[in-house]
Amino acid sequence: GVVAIIYESRPNVTSDAAVLALKSGNVCVLRGGKEAFRSAAAIVAAMHEGLRSAGLPEALVNLVSDTTRQSAHELMTANGLVDLLIPRGGKGLIRSVVENATVPTIETGAGNCNAYVEKSADLETALSIIRNGKTSRPAVCNALEHVLVDREIASAFLPRLREALPEVLLKGDAEAAAILGVEKVDDDEFFTEYDDLILSVKVVGGIEEAIAHINSHSTKHSDVILTTDIRKADAFPRSIDSAAVYVNASTRFTDGGEFGFGAEIGISTQKLHARGPMGLTELTTIKYIVTGDGQIR
C-alpha cells in the first residue's frame, strides 16, 4: 500500500516513518514542514542512496517538496492513491487531517494525560511519577498535563507537590487554588494540552469522580492512578477509556520503543484499527489466499 505521513518539525519522523513503511512492504510518501525540510531532504537523499545500492527503486520513499497547505490538502484527498494517512504533529495539524481528509486516517498524538492521586497513594512515589511525567520532556504527547487529588489528602499532598515542581506553573480549580495559592481556573482548563511546564490540579471526591472527569476531558492517550489500594488499582484501568492506562508508573512510558515495538510511526488515540503505539504490525494488512479443487458453497 501507500502510507502518507504529514508531519511538522521533527526530522526523526522522516527516517522512522520511511523505514517502518519499507519494512512493512509499503511505499512511503513524506510531507514535512518547512522548518525541517532541509534535514528531511538530506535524510531522504541518504535513503535513496541506500535503496539504489540495494537494487531497489528510489520511489519507495518520496518526499513532497511543496510545504504549503495545498500539498497537505492534496494528500488528504488523494483517494485511490493513498491507502493510509497519518498526521504527526500538534493539535492543529491533527484536527485539520481528521476534519478534512477523505482518505483513511489514523488519529495520533494529542496527549491530554492525567494522573489521579488516590487517598491511599504513597506520596513519595506519587511525587516522583508526577515530576517525571511533567518535567522530563514537557512538550511530548505522553507528558502529564493535569493532576487529580483525592480530597482527603489534598491539604497534605498539594504543598508537597508545589515544592517538588518549583519550575512548573501550577493552576487549580477552586479547592486546589486555595490550598496552593495559585491561579484559579474553570473546567475548560482541564481540556488543555499545554506542551509546556504548566500543570493544572483538581480536587476530587473519590475514584468515581476521577474516572468520570478523565473520561470526559482526556484525549484517550495515557492516564495513571497512584494508589496502594488493590481494588482501586484494578478498577481504574477497567474504567478508563484510554489507549494506555498505568498503575503507579509514569505515562512517559507510552512509546513504541519502550513497549518493545521498535520504532513507531505514531501513537493512535482512536480505537480501530490500531490503538496506542503503532509499529510494523499496525502497518501491515491481510490478504487471504484460498486454494481448492472444486469446492462450492
Side-chain angles (χ1 to χ4, degrees), residues 29-229:
V29 178
L30 301 158
R31 189 276 187 187
K34 60 183 179 181
E35 298 85 358
F37 179 75
R38 292 184 180 180
S39 296
I43 292 169
V44 170
M47 297 193 75
H48 282 171
E49 183 178 342
L51 288 167
R52 286 195 302 270
S53 66
L56 296 171
E58 293 181 11
L60 291 176
V61 178
N62 305 272
L63 178 65
V64 177
S65 58
D66 181 358
T67 59
T68 66
R69 292 184 179 180
Q70 179 61 29
S71 66
H73 179 75
E74 289 179 5
L75 283 176
M76 293 181 204
T77 56
N79 298 76
L81 299 174
V82 170
D83 295 296
L84 179 66
L85 177 61
I86 302 174
R88 291 288 305 272
K91 296 184 289 292
L93 171 63
I94 295 168
R95 187 181 307 111
S96 176
V97 170
V98 170
E99 292 177 355
N100 297 300
T102 58
V103 300
T105 65
I106 293 286
E107 185 173 355
T108 69
N112 185 19
C113 303
N114 299 265
Y116 167 48
V117 186
E118 193 269 329
K119 64 184 179 181
S120 73
D122 180 272
L123 299 191
E124 288 298 328
T125 300
L127 290 169
S128 174
I129 289 172
I130 293 170
R131 177 166 181 80
N132 176 257
K134 179 73 264 184
T135 67
S136 60
R137 287 188 67 192
V140 295
C141 62
N142 56 21
L144 277 180
E145 306 290 15
H146 308 285
V147 172
L148 313 180
V149 181
D150 196 292
R151 184 168 288 113
E152 289 190 30
I153 62 169
S155 60
F157 179 75
L158 290 181
R160 295 183 63 179
L161 179 68
R162 182 178 54 206
E163 294 173 2
L165 301 173
E167 70 274 60
V168 175
L169 173 63
L170 295 177
K171 303 180 180 183
D173 70 348
E175 289 184 69
I179 296 171
L180 290 165
V182 298
E183 177 188 351
K184 175 186 171 183
V185 295
D186 59 23
D187 185 68
D188 287 346
E189 189 78 14
F190 292 91
F191 290 101
T192 305
E193 182 184 6
Y194 296 115
D195 293 333
D196 200 352
L197 288 171
I198 305 172
L199 189 71
S200 289
V201 184
K202 179 178 177 64
V203 175
V204 295
I207 189 171
E208 292 84 5
E209 184 180 349
I211 290 170
H213 174 91
I214 292 171
N215 281 338
S216 63
H217 290 73
S218 82
T219 52
K220 306 186 186 308
H221 190 294
S222 301
D223 300 289
V224 55
I225 184 173
L226 304 160
T227 184
T228 60
D229 186 316

Side-chain angles (χ1 to χ4, degrees), residues 237-285:
R238 292 175 181 270
S239 303
I240 294 295
D241 182 21
S242 294
V245 185
Y246 294 84
V247 177
N248 298 322
S250 175
T251 57
R252 290 280 289 110
F253 284 109
T254 306
D255 174 83
E258 296 293 336
F259 278 19
F261 302 159
E264 71 176 30
I265 201 156
I267 297 174
S268 169
T269 56
Q270 62 191 52
K271 291 186 176 180
L272 295 172
H273 84 289
R275 200 175 203 201
M278 294 176 57
L280 286 173
T281 300
E282 289 73 29
L283 288 179
T284 58
T285 186

